[in-house]
């Protein structure tokens, strides 16, 4: 009963670090250590640590070597890497003239003036913008022991002046995978502009395929494809399962998707698991798909990357572009993913209800469980936003339930001091308290135990044993949040991500995903964002702000 809940033993990879997938010239990372490792958790503080076994910092040009390696890893794949005969043509995306492209497209939209709304291929965005002066600075991410500043640039997203797909030959597909998330329909709407059917095409033509995991995004994709002049767009129903034999695609057009963003869920449906990569690519060849938009989280993006690699192996001229969908906000290198802001906002309803229940009862305790398998971003931000949370528990930090420094002891103190208390816990927190089954879902994710119910039961038991009454109420709003419509903030994010996904595909990029980095939209190679989940840094300023708001102790 007096065991300590271990922090998730993940390595917090610095933006310039080599991922675990390939040999690295500079293996370096910041570690959130497990209990018992060194003295990092002394006094409840976590400091940034660096481990560089292969970097020779005495080398006067180590920074230059580091940057070259970073550029290599963050290079975004392009059709010209494989096909020497691919010819660029003037873009059909020009907001000076939005007349639909004719069947005899030859050179883009007619315009007497040159449009200056294109992104140059050499435009870059800084991945990190804070120059830390010391490894002990809050949230410090350092490359060397002196925290030397090293610029790390990634590719800016947006429309290019030259494109590598003729709109009349494009056969685009959209797929949404994983679980529901606010914003799926918004993305679908923007992606799909106008297409109806997916006839079989000559294999030498290119077809962009977009895979989405959520409803809002697809809408944006449809509309942007239409502006380019695409006439053939299809939605793949129920995630990757939709590539199975006997499951027909859903024709998409502006008329079909015009108002789907006004409701939650996904027009195309979602599911986990599906056929093998070989079977999916076989289905793409049969359907003539050459542009695939994949909307989903880390697992879905891993599938998209495998599809991209298989298409290259078969020398198929296909663009595979991901759109990051995860309500947990746990994808590396991105400010946030769509659905997250809506989840934080909708969580306020549950938290406020728990507060009212607890505050209105005699010695009341409200417990709210929110999403967050390995990352506690929703619980942290929702707690900070509400101002009603007394205890916030996340997967990244250890805690005790029992004992003089445990959660239950602090709840007893809160009841004595203020008469009520509210607890917010992320679903992945405290899993060591629960019996492990080793069961997995269709996506291969470990099925978590219900930490919210466990804390509720242990709280009731604790106060019964000390013969001190407590009225405990438990709320789990997970499925209500997942199914709701995207708010205004997520609506804008979905729109821009969907647009940039289409721009990236027409620019000839494949095996990439689009995200927001330091408020700017960027293209990132899929392998760099799926190596492991992004987690809350216990020494970050945002977590410190949350602790300031709740006033909670360390529970260790």
């Amino acid at each position: 009963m007096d065991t300590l809940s271990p922090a998730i033993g993940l390595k917090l990879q610095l933006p310039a670090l080599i991922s675990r997938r390939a040999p690295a010239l500079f293996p370096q990372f910041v570690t959130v250590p497990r209990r018992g490792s060194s003295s990092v958790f002394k006094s409840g503080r976590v400091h940034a640590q660096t481990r560089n076994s292969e970097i020779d910092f005495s080398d006067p040009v180590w920074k230059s070597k580091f940057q070259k390696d970073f550029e290599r890893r963050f290079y975004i794949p392009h059709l010209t890497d494989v096909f020497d005969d691919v010819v660029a043509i003037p873009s059909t995306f020009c907001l000076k003239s939005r007349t639909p492209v004719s069947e005899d497209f030859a050179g883009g939209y007619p315009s007497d003036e040159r449009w200056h709304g294109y992104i140059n291929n050499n435009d870059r965005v800084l991945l990190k913008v804070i120059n830390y002066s010391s490894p002990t600075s809050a949230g410090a991410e350092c490359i060397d022991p002196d925290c030397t500043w090293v610029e790390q640039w990634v590719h800016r997203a947006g429309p290019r002046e030259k494109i590598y797909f003729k709109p009349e030959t494009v056969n685009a597909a959209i797929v949404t995978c994983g679980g529901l998330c606010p914003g799926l329909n918004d993305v679908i709407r923007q992606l799909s502009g106008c297409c109806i059917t997916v006839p079989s095409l000559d294999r030498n033509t290119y077809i962009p395929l977009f895979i989405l995991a959520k409803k809002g995004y697809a809408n944006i994709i449809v509309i942007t494809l239409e502006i380019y002049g695409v006439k053939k767009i299809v939605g793949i129903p129920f995630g990757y399962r939709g590539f199975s034999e006997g499951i027909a695609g859903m024709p998409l057009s502006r008329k079909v998707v015009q108002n789907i963003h006004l409701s939650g869920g996904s027009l195309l449906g979602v599911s986990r698991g599906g056929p093998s990569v070989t079977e999916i690519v076989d289905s793409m060849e049969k359907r003539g798909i050459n542009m695939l938009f994949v909307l989903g989280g880390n697992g879905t993006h891993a599938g998209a990357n495998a599809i991209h690699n298989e298409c290259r192996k078969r020398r198929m001229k296909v663009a595979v572009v991901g759109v990051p969908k995860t309500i947990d906000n746990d994808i590396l290198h991105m400010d946030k993913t769509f659905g997250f802001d809506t989840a934080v906002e909708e969580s306020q309803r549950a938290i406020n209800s728990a507060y009212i229940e607890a505050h209105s009862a005699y010695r009341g305790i409200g417990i709210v469980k929110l999403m967050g398998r390995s990352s506690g971003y929703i619980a942290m931000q929702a707690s900070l936003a509400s101002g009603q949370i007394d205890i916030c528990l996340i997967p990244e930090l250890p805690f005790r339930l029992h004992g003089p420094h445990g959660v239950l002891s602090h709840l007893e103190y809160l009841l004595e001091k203020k008469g009520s208390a509210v607890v917010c816990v992320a679903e992945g927190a405290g899993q060591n308290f629960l019996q492990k089954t080793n069961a997995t879902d269709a996506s291969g994710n470990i099925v978590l135990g219900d930490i919210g119910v466990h804390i509720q039961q242990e709280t009731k038991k604790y106060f019964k044993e000390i013969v001190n009454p407590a009225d405990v109420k438990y709320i789990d709003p997970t499925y209500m949040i997942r199914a709701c419509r995207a708010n205004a903030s997520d609506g804008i994010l979905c729109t821009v991500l969907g647009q940039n996904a289409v721009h990236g595909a027409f620019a000839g990029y494949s095996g990439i995903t689009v995200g927001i980095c330091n408020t700017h939209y960027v293209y990132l190679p899929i392998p760099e964002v799926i190596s492991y989940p992004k987690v809350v840094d216990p020494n970050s300023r945002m977590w410190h702000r949350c602790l300031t708001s709740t006033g909670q102790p360390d529970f260790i």
Side-chain angles (χ1 to χ4, degrees):
M1 297 295 290
D2 196 29
T3 57
L4 182 69
S5 170
I8 295 296
L10 294 175
K11 296 175 181 178
L12 300 184
Q13 186 178 18
L14 294 183
L17 304 184
I18 305 301
S19 72
R20 301 174 184 172
R21 302 171 320 282
L25 294 178
F26 303 111
Q28 174 230 348
F29 42 80
V30 174
T31 302
V32 176
R34 295 180 182 275
R35 177 172 54 100
S37 63
S38 72
S39 59
V40 177
F41 280 116
K42 286 183 178 180
S43 303
R45 295 182 176 86
V46 181
H47 298 294
Q49 291 187 344
T50 60
R51 296 195 312 199
N52 300 285
S53 59
E54 297 184 22
I55 301 180
D56 181 8
F57 293 115
S58 64
D59 184 347
V61 294
W62 74 264
K63 286 179 59 177
S64 176
K65 291 180 178 179
F66 188 92
Q67 288 175 315
K68 287 180 180 178
D69 185 69
F70 179 87
E71 292 173 4
R72 174 188 62 81
R73 291 185 298 109
F74 280 80
Y75 173 80
I76 51 179
H78 195 270
L79 289 177
T80 54
D81 298 338
V82 178
F83 304 100
D84 296 330
D85 58 343
V86 176
V87 178
I89 60 176
S91 177
T92 56
F93 182 85
C94 177
L95 299 182
K96 278 184 173 292
S97 174
R98 288 182 292 279
T99 304
V101 177
S102 69
E103 294 290 342
D104 301 322
F105 164 79
Y109 290 109
S111 177
D112 295 332
E113 299 180 48
R114 186 179 185 86
W115 190 51
H116 296 289
Y118 297 116
I119 300 298
N120 190 290
N121 284 333
N122 293 321
D123 286 356
R124 297 292 186 269
V125 173
L126 268 177
L127 190 62
K128 294 294 180 181
V129 295
I130 300 179
N131 185 355
Y132 296 101
S133 62
S134 167
T136 60
S137 295
E141 296 177 338
C142 303
I143 296 172
D144 69 330
D146 296 325
C147 259
T148 303
W149 170 254
V150 180
E151 294 181 351
Q152 300 163 61
W153 300 93
V154 292
H155 295 257
R156 185 185 179 196
R160 266 55 176 176
E161 190 170 5
K162 298 291 184 180
I163 59 177
Y164 289 82
F165 290 96
K166 292 183 178 181
E168 65 270 25
T169 66
V170 167
N171 191 348
I174 301 170
V175 60
T176 62
C177 308
L180 287 179
C181 173
L184 282 176
N185 282 334
D186 299 80
V187 180
I188 294 172
R189 177 175 179 268
Q190 191 66 28
L191 280 171
S192 326
C194 92
C195 53
I196 305 287
T197 60
V198 185
S200 88
L201 300 177
D202 187 300
R203 292 186 182 179
N204 290 325
T205 60
Y206 329 144
I207 302 176
L209 174 61
F210 299 81
I211 304 177
L212 283 84
K214 298 306 167 192
K215 189 175 188 178
Y217 272 119
N219 190 9
I220 302 299
I221 293 175
V222 171
I223 292 176
T224 308
L225 285 170
E226 182 183 45
I227 293 176
Y228 269 97
V230 177
K231 298 182 180 298
K232 295 178 286 291
I233 308 172
V234 65
I236 305 298
F238 303 112
Y240 287 130
R241 293 183 185 275
F243 286 104
S244 303
E245 290 291 338
I247 301 181
M250 177 187 296
L252 298 176
S253 65
R254 180 183 288 264
K255 182 177 180 180
V256 171
V257 304
Q258 186 62 41
N259 295 314
I260 62 173
H261 63 300
L262 300 179
S263 61
S266 172
L267 172 70
L268 302 178
V270 297
S271 72
R272 300 186 185 277
S276 67
V277 172
T278 299
E279 292 172 319
I280 291 175
V281 177
D282 287 344
S283 177
M284 290 172 57
E285 280 195 287
K286 183 177 180 180
R287 302 183 193 213
I289 293 172
N290 56 8
M291 232 178 240
L292 178 63
F293 296 92
V294 184
L295 206 158
N298 282 310
T300 300
H301 273 71
N305 193 58
I307 293 170
H308 158 74
N309 290 332
E310 180 65 18
C311 288
R312 284 199 158 194
K313 179 180 176 181
R314 301 188 189 190
R315 295 188 63 80
M316 294 169 56
K317 295 178 180 176
V318 175
V320 181
V321 178
V323 180
K325 178 277 307 178
T326 166
I327 204 169
D328 291 352
N329 194 37
D330 61 353
I331 295 185
L332 286 173
H333 307 308
M334 299 182 186
D335 294 354
K336 61 181 178 179
T337 53
F338 78 91
F340 172 70
D341 278 353
T342 303
V344 171
E345 182 175 316
E346 289 298 315
S347 297
Q348 303 307 299
R349 299 172 184 250
I351 292 174
N352 189 55
S353 296
Y355 172 80
I356 291 174
E357 286 283 355
H359 191 67
S360 301
Y362 175 66
R363 295 174 60 86
I365 297 175
I367 301 172
V368 180
K369 186 186 75 172
L370 298 177
M371 294 79 72
R373 292 181 58 85
S374 57
S375 303
Y377 285 102
I378 293 179
M380 175 180 67
Q381 300 259 32
S383 297
L384 189 59
S386 73
Q388 297 171 319
I389 297 297
D390 299 292
I391 299 174
C392 178
L393 305 174
I394 60 176
E396 293 86 345
L397 281 171
F399 64 89
R400 296 183 187 275
L401 278 178
H402 296 269
H405 303 294
V407 171
L408 298 178
S409 177
H410 188 59
L411 282 175
E412 182 181 5
Y413 164 77
L414 290 171
L415 292 187
E416 295 298 330
K417 181 179 180 180
K418 56 196 285 281
S420 64
V422 182
V423 179
C424 179
V425 57
E427 62 179 322
Q431 289 299 303
N432 69 301
F433 296 126
L434 309 171
Q435 183 177 0
K436 293 180 173 59
T437 63
N438 294 322
T440 59
D441 60 21
S443 297
N445 299 314
I446 295 176
V447 177
L448 300 177
D450 197 329
I451 185 62
V453 170
H454 180 76
I455 292 178
Q456 176 196 29
Q457 294 172 344
E458 289 298 309
T459 301
K460 290 181 177 180
K461 182 180 177 181
Y462 174 80
F463 283 97
K464 182 178 181 180
E465 289 177 349
I466 64 174
V467 195
N468 211 347
D471 190 349
V472 183
K473 299 294 192 302
Y474 173 60
I475 299 175
D476 180 356
T478 299
Y479 290 102
M480 296 178 64
I481 294 173
R482 283 166 29 120
C484 70
R485 173 188 173 186
N487 66 7
S489 175
D490 272 329
I492 294 172
L493 180 61
C494 290
T495 297
V496 181
L497 289 177
Q499 291 175 354
N500 282 318
V502 176
H503 295 322
F506 267 99
Y509 298 117
S510 182
I512 66 167
T513 191
V514 59
I516 183 170
C517 176
N518 297 316
T519 73
H520 297 283
Y521 292 87
V522 300
Y523 294 134
L524 299 167
I526 290 178
E528 286 298 326
V529 301
I530 64 172
S531 55
Y532 51 83
K534 179 179 73 173
V535 296
V536 174
D537 179 0
N539 194 44
S540 67
R541 286 295 302 127
M542 189 58 72
W543 178 245
H544 292 169
R545 294 174 187 125
C546 183
L547 294 179
T548 302
S549 175
T550 64
Q552 69 191 60
D554 297 320
F555 302 126
I556 57 175

